Amino acid sequence: MAKTILAVDDSSSLRQMVAFSLKAAGYQVVEAVDGQDGLDKAKQQTVDLVLTDQNMPRMDGLQLIKLLRELPTYQKTPILMLTTESSDEMKSKGRAAGANGWLVKPFDPQRLIEVVKKVIG
């Protein structure tokens, strides 16, 4: 059965690129428009991996990760940040919130697939 990935980003073009790349590699993708939408969708159905942006309206990526980690279902789920933020300070905040990895935009679809395969197979 295909693994499901939740892609959370307020940029529809970026979400489409991520979804297209992941679907082409055989994954199912659930899209969310911001952190709040991502949290709602993660509660509606369990996903195998969460891929989230940092800077979004209503709820940013770090807040989303913290809230997901409080849910029993998502304590061990891999969460990757896909963001333009690449400072060490931001990365350490991401790790502290519970992110497992970091991809910097603009992302390389091939690299994204490699990282996802490494994390969830």
Side-chain angles (χ1 to χ4, degrees), residues 39-76:
L39 184 64
D40 294 343
K41 288 188 170 150
K43 287 177 176 176
Q44 286 163 12
Q45 74 174 98
T46 305
V47 299
D48 299 293
L49 170 73
V50 177
L51 194 58
T52 182
D53 183 21
Q54 164 53 18
N55 300 313
M56 297 178 288
R58 293 203 304 160
M59 184 191 297
D60 68 21
L62 292 175
Q63 187 65 33
L64 171 61
I65 294 170
K66 285 178 188 159
L67 291 170
L68 285 172
R69 289 295 185 222
E70 288 172 6
L71 302 171
T73 323
Y74 288 99
Q75 283 172 358
K76 301 270 187 263

Side-chain angles (χ1 to χ4, degrees), residues 27-115:
Y27 296 101
Q28 289 184 322
V29 181
V30 176
E31 295 180 39
V33 299
D34 59 33
Q36 184 61 56
D37 188 34
L39 184 64
D40 294 343
K41 288 188 170 150
K43 287 177 176 176
Q44 286 163 12
Q45 74 174 98
T46 305
V47 299
D48 299 293
L49 170 73
V50 177
L51 194 58
T52 182
D53 183 21
Q54 164 53 18
N55 300 313
M56 297 178 288
R58 293 203 304 160
M59 184 191 297
D60 68 21
L62 292 175
Q63 187 65 33
L64 171 61
I65 294 170
K66 285 178 188 159
L67 291 170
L68 285 172
R69 289 295 185 222
E70 288 172 6
L71 302 171
T73 323
Y74 288 99
Q75 283 172 358
K76 301 270 187 263
T77 304
I79 301 177
L80 300 175
M81 298 213 58
L82 176 60
T83 177
T84 52
E85 301 267 357
S86 60
S87 70
D88 289 338
E89 182 196 356
M90 202 58 188
K91 286 180 180 172
S92 65
K93 282 182 181 171
R95 275 193 291 276
N100 298 93
W102 204 272
L103 290 159
V104 178
K105 292 182 199 169
F107 77 101
D108 167 17
Q110 196 52 51
R111 174 90 182 106
L112 173 67
I113 300 305
E114 282 169 22
V115 172

Side-chain angles (χ1 to χ4, degrees), residues 5-37:
I5 298 168
L6 175 62
V8 188
D9 200 303
D10 57 325
S11 159
S12 62
S13 57
L14 194 105
R15 270 198 325 275
Q16 284 167 351
M17 280 191 331
V18 167
F20 179 80
S21 305
L22 293 170
K23 284 174 183 169
Y27 296 101
Q28 289 184 322
V29 181
V30 176
E31 295 180 39
V33 299
D34 59 33
Q36 184 61 56
D37 188 34

